[in-house]
Amino acid sequence: MSEGERLQKAISLTIAAGYQIDKDAFDFLNTVSQTEDPIKLMEEAIQKIGTLTEKPLFIGRIFLEEVAKEAFPKVEEEKLPLPAKPSPPIFESRKVFHAYAKDVDADIKVIEDPTDKLCATGSIGEYLEYFQDRFRRIQKVLRQRMDTKDATTISEALKAPINSKVKFIGMITEKRESKQRIFLKLEDLESSLTVLVPQNADPEVMKKTQALLLDQVICVSAVKGRNDLAIAEDFILPDVPQKTPRKASIPVYAALISDLHVGSKTFLREEFNRFVLWLNGKFGDEALRTMASHVKYLVIAGDLVDGIGVYPGQAKELAITDIHKQYQMVAKFIEQIPDYIEVIIIPGNHDASRKALPQPALPKNYAEPIYEARQVHSLGNPCTVSLHQVELLLYHGRSLDDIISTVPNMNFHTPEKAMRLLLQSRHLAPIYGGKTLIAPEKQDFMFIERVPDIFHAGHVHVLRHDTYRGILMVNSGAWQTITSYQKKMGLAPTPGIIPVVNLQKLEVTSIDFTGLYV
C-alpha cells in the first residue's frame, strides 16, 4: 500500500469511527505519514479516545502529538512538524494544492435582504396592507406584458355587455370544482367576480386552471356572462421574461448546499467532512481538486441545524438535543472552510429564526459560534445577492410543500417543476394559509421583483437542476438521510450530493460525496 493510500485509509478509519480531524491535526498526520504508519497512529488515537469520559468529536493536533509519542517512541522531538509548516495533500502525486480562487478578490453584493426591514405585529390592518402590496406589485408586472396591456379592472369588466370579450387582473380568492367545471373567484382592490371554466373548455386552458393557486395574481381573458359571471378563455401568469443571464468574467465557482441538519442522528457527518476536505484540496482525484480550487463561494440555503421540536417525534432522532450545541457543531465545520471562500448563509424552517416568512438572518444569541468561527455573510430568507455579477435568488423553499401537495403532477422528486411555477407566479409563497407561515409585512418580500440568473432553493432534500427562460434553477439536496417523518411524507432524499456552479458558464457539476473513498 502506497503512502498516499495509507493516509487516505487512516482518514476514512477516523471518520468511520465517528470522529473528525481538524486542519492542524491533519497537517500533523500528513507529515508523520512520510516516516511512520498513519493507520497505526489513528487506530491508537481512536482507542485512546474510547477510554475518555468525554469524547471529542474533533481530534486536535495536540492530542494527536501525544498519541504519536506513545505509538512511535523512537520518533525524535525535532521530527514533529511545526504548525506553520506546509504539508502535501493526501494524494500519491504529492502535488501542492494551489487554489485559483485564493488569488481572486471576492465580488459579492447584497441586493435585497429583509433582515432589518421586518416590522409586522400581526394586526388586521397589516394583513390588508400586505395583500394590497402583493396585488399592486404583481399587477404592475402583468401590465408590462404585451398581451395584457389592454386589461381592465374587474369593475369595468362587470359593466361590459353580455358575450363581449373582457380581460382583467385579479387575485384568486376561491377555487372549487363542481361536475367537472371549475369556478374561480377573483378580486382586485375594488370589486370581485366569478370565472367559470366549463367542462368543454380547451384542454390547454383546463390544464392551466388545474395549476392555478389560491392568492395568485393573474390576468383572465374571458367572455362576459350574466351578472358577475365570466367564462374563461385563457389565463396569463405574470411570469419571468426570457433573458440572457449575466455571467462571471473569470472561472469562479459557487458550491450550493442546504439542509445540513446538524444535530440529527441522520446527519451525514462522514460525507460532509469529505466535502470540507475537498474544499481544502485534500480529497478527490485531480479533476475534482482542480474544481475545488475554483470554488470562491459557498452558499448555504437554510436548515443548518435540525432544531428542536420541529416535527412530531423529532426528539427520538436527535443526536444533539441542545440547539446551542447544534450551532456549535456547525461552527466547527464552518471554521474548517478555507478563509478565501466566501460563506453565505440564510435560515430555514429548522433554524432558530422566526418561522414566518420572510425570516431575518440567524440571531446571534443562538448562532453566535458561527459568527465567531469565521467571517460569514448571514442574510435573511429570501434574499438576493450578486456573485461576480451573477445574481442569485436565495430561498430555503418552505412553500414548495404547498405547491407540491396542491398542483397536479407535482412531486418531491422533481422540485424544479415547483420552482418553475414560483417563477411563473413571480412569488415565492403564493398560497397564504397553507403549511407556509407568512408574516403580514407592509412590503411583500416574497414577491420576485428582480429576475435572477440563478434561483437556489432547498428544503425538499432532493438535488435537481434545470433552466427556465435563461434562469438556472437549483435545488441543492441535503446532508441528512431519510427520517421517519420523511418516510410518512413519501419523500426519497438524495443526500450527500452537491451542485457546483461554474459562474462563468452557468454550468452545474454534481459531486457525490457518498461514494468517494468508502
Side-chain angles (χ1 to χ4, degrees), residues 247-303:
K247 297 180 181 180
S249 59
I250 56 176
V252 290
Y253 297 178
L256 307 182
I257 68 172
S258 64
D259 299 275
L260 279 63
H261 291 274
V262 172
S264 169
K265 290 179 180 178
T266 54
F267 166 57
L268 295 177
R269 185 168 60 188
E270 177 179 344
E271 288 78 0
F272 194 78
N273 193 55
R274 289 174 183 163
F275 167 63
V276 174
L277 287 173
W278 172 72
L279 288 175
N280 283 276
K282 296 174 180 176
F283 238 55
D285 58 22
E286 196 63 31
L288 285 177
R289 292 175 68 233
T290 299
M291 186 179 298
S293 76
H294 286 265
V295 175
K296 185 65 182 177
Y297 305 99
L298 172 62
V299 184
I300 309 176
D303 281 1

Side-chain angles (χ1 to χ4, degrees), residues 92-156:
E92 287 187 65
S93 64
R94 291 293 178 185
K95 292 181 180 178
V96 175
F97 178 70
H98 175 72
Y100 169 86
K102 189 173 183 178
D103 299 325
V104 175
D105 291 334
D107 182 1
I108 177 170
K109 298 180 181 66
V110 178
I111 297 172
E112 186 65 60
D113 177 16
T115 299
D116 297 327
K117 303 174 184 177
L118 307 181
C119 57
T121 62
S123 69
I124 295 177
E126 285 178 336
Y127 281 96
L128 181 61
E129 288 182 272
Y130 169 78
F131 279 104
Q132 289 177 342
D133 181 72
R134 177 193 288 200
F135 180 80
R136 288 192 180 101
R137 298 175 81 182
I138 300 181
Q139 177 185 233
K140 182 179 179 181
V141 169
L142 274 165
R143 291 197 179 281
Q144 291 172 353
R145 295 178 56 112
M146 293 299 296
D147 52 358
T148 61
K149 286 187 177 295
D150 57 342
T152 66
T153 63
I154 289 178
S155 60
E156 290 174 329

Side-chain angles (χ1 to χ4, degrees), residues 311-355:
Y311 62 88
Q314 183 189 21
K316 299 177 182 178
E317 299 183 339
L318 288 177
I320 304 174
T321 57
D322 186 316
I323 188 72
H324 295 90
K325 291 182 179 179
Q326 289 181 6
Y327 279 110
Q328 288 172 9
M329 183 54 59
V330 173
K332 287 182 180 293
F333 284 109
I334 286 183
E335 69 182 358
Q336 304 295 319
I337 296 167
D339 56 9
Y340 62 83
I341 294 179
E342 300 289 331
V343 178
I344 302 162
I345 59 176
I346 66 171
N349 58 298
H350 281 251
D351 283 302
S353 181
R354 79 173 188 180
K355 301 308 177 186

Side-chain angles (χ1 to χ4, degrees), residues 11 14-21 46 49-50 55-59 269 273:
I11 293 293
T14 306
I15 296 173
Y19 304 109
Q20 313 293 329
I21 182 168
I46 292 168
I49 290 175
K55 297 175 176 56
L57 288 174
F58 278 80
I59 298 175
R269 185 168 60 188
N273 193 55

Side-chain angles (χ1 to χ4, degrees), residues 469-517:
R469 296 196 166 185
I471 301 169
L472 175 62
M473 303 178 297
V474 181
N475 196 291
S476 51
W479 294 95
Q480 180 188 38
T481 57
I482 191 166
T483 66
S484 59
Y485 182 70
Q486 290 169 343
K487 289 178 182 177
K488 293 177 183 177
M489 296 288 290
L491 197 157
T494 58
I497 310 173
I498 72 152
V500 180
V501 181
N502 180 337
L503 297 179
Q504 188 180 40
K505 298 180 178 180
L506 289 194
E507 294 177 348
V508 180
T509 301
S510 299
I511 306 177
D512 185 351
F513 286 93
T514 64
L516 291 175
Y517 306 100

